[in-house]
Amino acid sequence: AMPRQVDMAMTEFGMPMGPIELHDVVGLDVCLHAGKVMQQAFADRVVPTPIVDQLVANDRLGQKKGKGFFDWKKYKKGRWKKSDSDEASSIIADLASPTDSPGDLVDRLMMPMLVEATRALEDNIVEDVRDVDLALIMGIGFPPFLGGLFHWADTIGVQAIIEMLNALKKLGKRYEPTKMLLEHATSG
């Protein structure tokens, strides 16, 4: 999917901005560095980002440079306006691999977040699902009207989540149901 499609899917879901725009606002060089640290720590679940690598190599560092996934221009009172970028689109087209990947964009973006959140509970990093829900609402702008990640997941149901993850499992370990999810599916 192209950047605007990804961002539109997530803003329609309720996020304050899409993940691609967020990358540009944070800075692609910063995201690349953070991604490599995460890749070293969790090589089985964090995948390489050749598109971000190439954008950074082409000095497309995001909003601060006026070009990243999008082209950026300042306008009145220091505000920024984004527009689609032919150069970034070309880089993406050159590096993207056509796929018959299942699932819609929201599923593909939210399911790994949910899986990692269940890992945080399993590993006793977090004690209570409400802590995760509140942290994501306050920390990343998870849509408050959805009640948080676990509350949202409860509205879908664990059986449906397992089905979504099974449909996405060919995309890698980040879509593998955790022991916690499988136990909840078994117990109902």
Side-chain angles (χ1 to χ4, degrees), residues 9-129:
M10 293 311 294
T11 56
E12 287 176 0
F13 177 76
M15 297 299 273
M17 74 173 61
I20 305 298
E21 181 177 356
L22 180 61
H23 272 66
D24 270 2
V25 171
V26 168
L28 295 180
D29 51 338
V30 174
C31 293
L32 182 62
H33 174 73
K36 288 187 186 295
V37 169
M38 295 295 289
Q39 228 177 329
Q40 287 178 335
F42 306 105
D44 61 333
R45 303 190 304 267
V46 179
V47 296
T49 58
I51 293 171
V52 177
D53 291 341
Q54 192 61 44
L55 290 169
V56 169
N58 283 288
D59 202 36
R60 297 190 68 87
L61 304 183
Q63 192 179 72
K64 63 187 168 190
K65 281 283 200 164
K67 57 185 184 171
F69 279 99
F70 297 102
D71 289 332
W72 294 87
K73 293 215 186 286
K74 271 191 177 178
Y75 69 106
K76 64 181 177 180
K77 296 184 182 176
R79 297 185 72 125
W80 292 88
K81 182 174 181 162
K82 70 180 181 187
S83 60
D84 292 330
S85 167
D86 291 338
E87 181 183 355
S89 293
S90 176
I91 290 168
I92 292 166
D94 287 347
L95 293 173
S97 50
T99 178
D100 61 348
S101 297
D104 71 16
L105 290 172
V106 172
D107 293 348
R108 290 184 63 186
L109 291 164
M110 295 306 299
M111 288 298 117
M113 185 185 298
L114 179 62
V115 168
E116 286 301 319
T118 63
R119 282 193 179 101
L121 286 161
E122 287 179 342
D123 295 343
N124 294 313
I125 295 167
V126 182
E127 290 183 21
D128 193 300
V129 294

Side-chain angles (χ1 to χ4, degrees), residues 113 117 131-143 148-149:
M113 185 185 298
D131 295 335
V132 174
D133 284 350
L134 184 60
L136 292 178
I137 289 169
M138 302 302 288
I140 67 165
F142 192 91
L149 181 65

